[in-house]
Amino acid sequence: MRSTILRSGSTVRKQPTGDQHAECIAHEGTRRPGDEKSVVFELCSGLFASMPRSDQRMKAIHYVRGLLGAEGRKSIRNIATLLGGDAAEQSLHHFISSSTWDWTPVRRALAQHIERVSPPQAYVVHPMIIPKAGETSVGVERRFVPELGQVINAQQAVGVWAAAHDWSSPLHWRLHLTHRWLEDENRRSQAAIPETTVQESLAQCSVEAYLAMIRDSGLPVRPLVMDARNADVLSTVHRLRAAGTPWLLRVDPSVRLTVLEPTFPRRGASMTTQQIMSTAWHMRQLEPRRAPGPETPLRGVRRPGSLVAVSATLTADTRRPGGRPGVAEELLLLGISDGGQLPAELWLTDLTGVRPVELTQLIRLTHRVDRDLAEVADQVGIRDFSGRSFNGWHRHATLASAAHAIALLSGRPNTRRAAAEVTDLTDPARRERHGRGYLTDLGGRPDLAS
């Protein structure tokens, strides 16, 4: 599964309680529409409302402002320099590492706020590597990173991002912990890892991160976009089906599918995704495009920016939960070309009523998250927590996500503020307007496949 490497529904808005109102009033004199202080003021009454004490809510605001304003690495020490030095550092360290406030309702409030002010097109599950020099921070160990081609000392986390074509914002995080941490009682105790945390693969960690967010946040159903090349695709699909989630998964070339495409030479045969795409790619015919239908032959154009969509089903998948025995679910296998060559990326989805060009737009959301992780999340210190504890890491990640959203909503460079109309790609009525899989060009928009 690809990781990014560090290189150098609607809710009713709560009114502030007495303490919360006083906290917000303290900042009101400096409010200017659209700036960061204004957005902090706007969020503070709801985002931190679950914190039981007023001093905790004030420290949360101070910490977020430190993440937005501190120079260099967003360590507690650097944040504290903005607030008063050693005493502030000790207070913030306790607030993050040892306090009792729960990050779950804060993340819920953040997710619901993002949904309300700027609904996303999809949720993107995105892994994140956090290089570390020491060995005491929770989850740190030697890990092989394919992008670097080497083993490094690092933490591994998974983020769930709300994403649209011109913005993205992290909503939920999950640390990937291996048996080295979970079976070592001394390490587990020192990091205060909860007893409910069990060993799981990175792919299982990714799916559970998304499912936990959905369970905790009450968000509307939107497509999930995820790199599942190192996952058990059949198991992943079953879990997402059970949650009622439409999905778009990047898959490994070795995943086996049974082709359902009417005009495919080996219809009904079990083949790898690479074999299917190789066959489909060479079936392209240089002819004008026609409206797709059940008997339309595979066709397309030989130019950069092309994609193939082939109707298929998982070979071992003979029954959808709640469906009829022996009836396989129709899926779409998409291959996105790289400069007109054989597809460089293979994606599988149950959104069969959505045009491939629209699916490609969802795939591009992964690039949006890549950019925003580097240009916004890293700048507000998402990877900068240096403490040891499990709870401390999650509290820091939660407040860094809030800082990311504030940067987004306050109009920092490469961010957006205005809400946009979101097309419901899960609408069953859309299925009637499209046929089975087909090879197509991108209607004069080869950039959509880049």
Side-chain angles (χ1 to χ4, degrees):
M1 181 175 289
R2 185 169 57 87
S3 300
T4 300
I5 309 302
L6 182 60
R7 297 187 183 277
S8 63
S10 302
T11 58
V12 178
R13 182 167 182 172
K14 297 180 179 179
Q15 295 299 316
T17 64
D19 285 341
Q20 294 163 338
H21 182 71
E23 293 160 21
C24 293
I25 289 295
H27 306 287
E28 188 169 12
T30 59
R31 289 181 64 197
R32 294 189 303 275
D35 68 7
E36 286 179 354
K37 290 183 179 179
S38 176
V39 176
V40 171
F41 173 87
E42 182 182 357
L43 286 176
C44 70
S45 62
L47 205 59
F48 305 134
S50 61
M51 295 183 184
R53 301 199 312 268
S54 61
D55 65 307
Q56 291 175 328
R57 296 190 288 273
M58 284 297 293
K59 287 174 185 174
I61 294 172
H62 290 158
Y63 196 86
V64 168
R65 284 187 166 171
L67 292 172
L68 290 164
E71 295 293 333
R73 188 169 178 272
K74 303 305 190 295
S75 65
I76 291 178
R77 173 168 295 179
N78 284 345
I79 292 172
T81 60
L82 300 178
L83 305 175
D86 292 344
E89 181 179 352
Q90 184 177 2
S91 176
L92 286 180
H93 185 274
H94 178 272
F95 172 70
I96 295 296
S97 297
S98 307
S99 187
T100 57
W101 64 273
D102 184 0
W103 64 80
T104 300
V106 179
R107 292 182 183 179
R108 182 188 307 121
L110 175 62
Q112 292 174 347
H113 184 85
I114 292 292
E115 175 65 34
R116 182 168 59 251
V117 302
S118 192
Q121 293 173 288
Y123 303 120
V124 176
V125 173
H126 194 283
M128 180 177 71
I129 285 287
I130 309 171
K132 290 287 183 180
E135 300 180 350
T136 58
S137 294
V138 61
V140 169
E141 60 182 80
R142 303 289 290 174
R143 298 174 183 271
F144 177 73
V145 181
E147 287 78 7
L148 296 179
Q150 62 182 357
V151 175
I152 65 172
N153 206 54
Q155 292 168 313
Q156 171 79 70
V158 174
V160 184
W161 294 62
H165 76 279
D166 57 350
W167 67 272
S168 62
S169 189
L171 304 180
H172 187 66
W173 295 95
R174 190 175 182 88
L175 270 174
H176 179 234
L177 302 175
T178 69
H179 66 91
R180 294 181 181 86
W181 281 88
L182 298 179
E183 295 177 5
D184 186 325
E185 291 301 328
N186 186 48
R187 276 184 158 191
R188 185 160 192 155
S189 175
Q190 288 181 343
I193 299 172
E195 291 298 323
T196 54
T197 304
V198 298
Q199 186 173 337
E200 56 193 2
S201 67
L202 182 56
Q204 291 169 333
C205 179
S206 298
V207 174
E208 185 55 37
Y210 166 76
L211 294 178
M213 184 195 73
I214 293 299
R215 287 194 303 266
D216 293 337
S217 301
L219 296 173
V221 174
R222 300 197 188 282
L224 170 67
V225 183
M226 187 178 100
D227 189 335
R229 282 177 291 175
N230 292 330
D232 180 337
V233 174
L234 186 60
S235 174
T236 299
V237 167
H238 281 319
R239 294 190 70 191
L240 295 177
R241 284 173 178 168
T245 297
W247 47 268
L248 183 58
L249 304 177
R250 187 172 182 182
V251 295
D252 188 83
S254 64
V255 171
R256 299 196 72 86
L257 302 176
T258 299
V259 180
L260 303 178
E261 195 71 44
T263 60
F264 202 81
R266 298 181 60 190
R267 181 185 183 188
S270 174
M271 305 170 65
T272 67
T273 55
Q274 186 63 50
Q275 291 170 333
I276 294 171
M277 277 297 135
S278 179
T279 301
W281 204 256
H282 290 97
M283 287 175 63
R284 294 178 302 175
Q285 299 174 13
L286 296 175
E287 62 177 49
R289 292 182 61 199
R290 299 190 299 271
E295 303 304 325
T296 304
L298 294 169
R299 60 199 180 281
V301 293
R302 294 181 180 273
R303 68 168 192 173
S306 294
L307 62 85
V308 175
V310 177
S311 178
T313 191
L314 289 163
T315 296
D317 185 18
T318 59
R319 181 176 180 179
R320 180 174 183 171
R324 292 175 295 163
V327 177
E329 180 187 19
E330 181 181 355
L331 306 173
L332 278 182
L333 172 66
L334 293 103
I336 300 178
S337 72
D338 182 9
Q341 303 302 311
L342 288 176
E345 295 184 17
L346 301 173
W347 292 80
L348 190 66
T349 182
D350 64 347
L351 289 165
T352 56
V354 178
R355 293 185 301 122
V357 65
E358 293 175 304
L359 294 173
T360 307
Q361 291 172 345
L362 293 182
I363 291 169
R364 281 177 58 83
L365 296 180
T366 61
H367 306 312
R368 178 76 260 172
V369 171
D370 280 335
R371 287 193 293 271
D372 286 349
L373 176 56
E375 296 174 3
V376 185
D378 273 337
Q379 300 309 308
V380 299
I382 189 62
R383 300 187 231 220
D384 288 351
F385 179 66
S386 58
R388 297 185 177 188
S389 74
F390 179 92
N391 290 336
W393 186 91
H394 275 282
R395 292 192 183 105
H396 171 85
T398 300
L399 297 180
S401 297
H404 180 112
I406 289 169
L408 179 82
L409 296 170
S410 60
R412 282 195 176 194
N414 303 309
T415 63
R416 79 192 278 275
R417 182 178 178 82
E421 178 111 5
V422 176
T423 302
D424 184 4
L425 297 179
T426 66
D427 182 1
R430 296 176 57 86
R431 194 178 301 269
E432 304 300 324
R433 298 196 291 271
H434 307 295
R436 290 178 177 271
Y438 54 93
L439 186 145
T440 181
D441 65 28
L442 294 177
R445 293 292 304 282
D447 59 297
L448 291 177
S450 63

